[in-house]
Amino acid sequence: MIDNIDRSILRHLQTDGRMTATALAGKVGLTVAPCHRRLRDLEAAGIIRGYRADVDPAAVGLGFEAIVFVTLRQVDRSTMEIFENRVADNPNIVEAQRLFGSPDYLLKVIAEDLPSYQRFYDSELTSLPGVERLTSTLVMKNLKTNVGPPV
């Protein structure tokens, strides 16, 4: 179980993952040593899964986004495992969820522009194992991304 101090640590780190332990301790009302211990405990427990840079896709030439709904021909363990491994290995698929009901999967794909997305769709998405149907929806505007869970 995490307490209110742990939740405060998590809130601050979701806003600024590069915050020093000293600055974090000051924000949550602890001295550095107990704050650092709590931080290590949150990491060891898997509550904090890692730290990474939040890169703006458009700033690196990948400003086109599509949401792709995938329906598989058959949903068996082998097909799903192969499909999920291929999705996980593809760098242009930046998010993927397995869904209950229909469709079976939701993928978020980034590309340079519409022509490059079409090439990706034709060469990569259609070759994913077990795919029966792909339905794409183009993203007009991101309203909220990478905010993390409320803590």
Side-chain angles (χ1 to χ4, degrees):
M1 293 295 295
I2 63 173
D3 62 16
N4 287 336
I5 294 173
D6 290 335
R7 289 181 190 284
S8 182
I9 289 170
L10 295 171
R11 275 193 299 277
H12 287 292
L13 287 177
Q14 282 182 326
T15 303
D16 180 4
R18 293 182 63 167
M19 184 178 292
T20 66
T22 303
L24 184 59
K27 295 269 188 186
V28 300
L30 293 174
T31 60
V32 175
C35 181
H36 197 266
R37 180 186 48 77
R38 283 176 177 259
L39 191 53
R40 280 194 321 260
D41 291 347
L42 291 167
E43 292 167 347
I47 295 168
I48 296 176
R49 296 187 289 196
Y51 302 90
R52 63 181 181 85
D54 183 10
V55 177
D56 178 2
V60 294
L62 297 167
F64 185 88
E65 296 179 34
I67 304 298
V68 181
F69 299 97
V70 180
T71 302
L72 299 180
R73 269 185 231 93
Q74 61 187 46
V75 183
D76 60 76
R77 179 177 290 189
S78 175
T79 302
M80 289 187 320
E81 188 174 302
I82 296 167
F83 174 86
E84 290 176 6
N85 287 335
R86 288 269 307 273
V87 165
D89 289 341
N90 193 305
N92 287 77
I93 301 172
V94 295
E95 291 182 30
Q97 288 83 31
R98 182 174 165 203
L99 308 174
F100 277 107
S102 184
D104 299 308
Y105 292 90
L106 180 149
L107 311 177
K108 180 178 176 185
V109 176
I110 58 172
E112 292 175 16
D113 52 23
L114 181 58
S116 65
Y117 174 70
Q118 179 192 351
R119 287 189 299 276
F120 179 80
Y121 183 98
D122 292 346
S123 65
E124 299 289 330
L125 294 177
T126 59
S127 71
L128 288 170
V131 170
E132 177 180 300
R133 180 180 25 244
L134 298 166
T135 305
S136 296
T137 300
L138 306 181
V139 175
M140 288 176 51
K141 178 181 179 182
N142 280 310
L143 303 176
K144 192 174 184 179
T145 59
N146 299 323
V147 295
V151 289

